[in-house]
Amino acid sequence: MTDYSLGDRGTLRVITDDYYDAEILQVFEELQIDREKVWNGEARLIPEPNNPYEPNSIAVYIDDIKIGRLSPADSAEYWKPITRVVASGYDAIAHLQLSAVLRRRDGESFIESEGLLSLSPAHSLFPLNQAPTQATLLPQGPSMKVLDEKDYAEYLHSILPPSGEGRVILSLEVNALRQPDGSFIDSVEVFHDRKKVGRLSTQMSEQLAPVIRYAFERNKLTSAWGTIRGNAFELSLTVQAVRASELPAEWFEELPNNVPELLPETENFKVPESYEPTEGELNRQNLSKKKRGLVGSFSVGGGTASDSPGSVEVKSGAGVENPNRRIALLLGIVGALILIGGVFVVFAEPMLGILAIVLGASIVFLGLFMGRPPMEATSDQ
């Protein structure tokens, strides 16, 4: 499927730390105690309408490895836009930073992990306009201010959404400007739907001009994500694109346009039943709320990881009869009587009264100890 790059002007946390340890190990291949590893790259967001535990959950994949999911609240917020992308025949792509570290505590080893998606709010995932058909789209990156945008304020106000902020697709074209000394410099002009809306600085123009010419020589326009912000009195326009020196070789080979046209808006989009349980999700009903320890080398060979044998969980013995209950009750009554008697005697015979109070209190505590609920140990094999 063709990739569809989602807006990246935000950060969203991914749930990675309950049922995905084996899969995260596959990503990193090896983890060492207290030495964090970080993975950066593109992740796919796949809706799971048939998830038996969290219906309409959105899973996060690195290649074919499911490493996490969005929270129920985030899945609900992003469900409609993500299913729109998938129903249109594309993969929903966002940048992911995944970190993991092996910890050891109380004799058990376990993985701590965190996933952060670069993802715009749900209402800003898609641009307000479409990229030109014969255009290649620069990967998203840091913001570059568009200059002279005030000269085009009337038009820009006409496309500014009521919310005061929106993502747009801008086209970049190179124009050679003649200097007073007769020399020429490259200036990158910025267009929105073929209407000029500003220019980039001389420094940014110098960096991007060769890239734009490279695409033009191959019959491609160059487009980039942008953001328009403002109100009735002022506005700003920025371009979000990686620097020319950071463009991957694949971009020059493919010249992709990964913001293709989507299906029209509707209430619901039908998507495939894509739930594929991980090893942890398969055993979900048997997992305790406490994270299970993992043992072994924590390296992946052939894509497998070993679990801890026989971890023990201690549970309160609700409903289990305590054979010492009657004795404990009797001790409590006797101790209380001695304690009360000591309180009265202490005024007449201080030493005797204090001894009685101490003895009575000791007997009461002994009764409480013997009458405590029993503990039941269960083995998690």
Side-chain angles (χ1 to χ4, degrees), residues 1-312:
M1 295 175 69
T2 302
D3 290 347
Y4 188 102
S5 294
L6 302 167
D8 68 348
R9 299 294 99 178
T11 302
L12 195 67
R13 190 175 301 276
V14 179
I15 297 175
T16 61
D17 59 355
D18 46 8
Y19 308 117
Y20 308 100
D21 285 349
E23 288 69 29
I24 289 173
L25 279 170
Q26 285 185 268
V27 174
F28 290 102
E29 295 185 352
E30 184 177 5
L31 292 173
Q32 297 179 349
I33 292 178
D34 296 334
R35 292 189 178 182
E36 184 180 64
K37 284 190 173 182
V38 179
W39 181 94
N40 283 282
E42 300 303 309
R44 288 185 298 145
L45 305 185
I46 298 182
E48 297 179 331
N50 59 325
N51 188 313
Y53 305 106
E54 294 181 12
N56 293 354
S57 177
I58 296 177
V60 180
Y61 278 75
I62 295 175
D63 296 328
D64 294 326
I65 303 173
K66 179 158 65 168
I67 58 86
R69 68 187 187 282
L70 302 190
S71 70
D74 289 335
S75 290
E77 180 180 356
Y78 284 87
W79 181 258
K80 185 175 179 179
I82 298 302
T83 54
R84 183 185 179 192
V85 172
V86 174
S88 300
Y90 309 118
D91 281 331
I93 301 297
H95 182 82
L96 172 69
Q97 177 178 290
L98 178 66
S99 60
V101 61
L102 182 62
R103 302 292 190 195
R104 190 165 184 84
R105 187 177 300 132
D106 298 330
E108 289 188 346
S109 298
F110 59 94
I111 294 173
E112 285 183 356
S113 59
E114 181 181 55
L116 297 175
L117 282 171
S118 297
L119 202 62
S120 298
H123 65 272
S124 300
L125 284 180
F126 307 133
L128 300 174
N129 61 325
Q130 292 293 329
T133 305
Q134 294 298 320
T136 180
L137 188 70
L138 293 171
Q140 298 178 78
S143 291
M144 296 175 276
K145 181 171 175 55
V146 176
L147 306 179
D148 300 337
E149 77 278 16
K150 293 181 180 179
D151 296 341
Y152 310 93
E154 182 177 356
Y155 173 74
L156 289 174
H157 273 111
S158 71
I159 65 172
L160 182 68
S163 63
E165 180 176 338
R167 303 300 305 282
V168 291
I169 298 297
L170 302 171
S171 297
L172 308 178
E173 297 183 11
V174 180
N175 185 24
L177 296 182
R178 186 183 181 91
Q179 299 294 95
D181 61 359
S183 62
F184 290 87
I185 62 170
D186 288 329
S187 176
V188 173
E189 297 179 339
V190 182
F191 293 81
H192 175 273
D193 290 347
R194 306 308 306 155
K195 296 183 184 296
K196 186 177 177 180
V197 291
R199 64 180 177 87
L200 298 183
S201 68
T202 302
Q203 181 182 6
M204 290 296 100
S205 295
E206 183 180 350
Q207 294 181 22
L208 285 174
V211 175
I212 297 170
R213 287 199 176 98
Y214 177 88
F216 184 77
E217 291 168 359
R218 288 154 181 80
N219 300 317
K220 292 276 190 177
L221 297 174
T222 301
S223 295
W225 281 85
T227 301
I228 183 172
R229 296 185 181 92
N231 51 42
F233 305 102
E234 60 181 1
L235 55 79
S236 66
L237 185 65
T238 54
V239 172
Q240 287 84 46
V242 299
R243 301 297 185 256
S245 59
E246 298 173 356
L247 282 168
E250 294 81 7
W251 186 87
F252 290 96
E253 295 172 2
E254 300 173 6
L255 294 178
N257 179 2
N258 47 16
V259 185
E261 189 171 355
L262 299 174
L263 292 175
E265 283 274 11
T266 185
E267 285 300 317
N268 295 292
F269 295 96
K270 185 175 179 57
V271 293
E273 295 185 349
S274 303
Y275 176 69
E276 294 288 342
T278 63
E279 179 182 341
E281 288 173 330
L282 282 173
N283 300 323
R284 186 167 185 169
Q285 291 179 336
N286 299 323
L287 291 177
S288 63
K289 291 183 180 179
K290 179 181 177 183
K291 189 177 183 69
R292 296 193 303 171
L294 300 178
V295 298
S297 64
F298 280 88
S299 63
V300 176
T304 62
S306 57
D307 291 335
S308 62
S311 61
V312 175

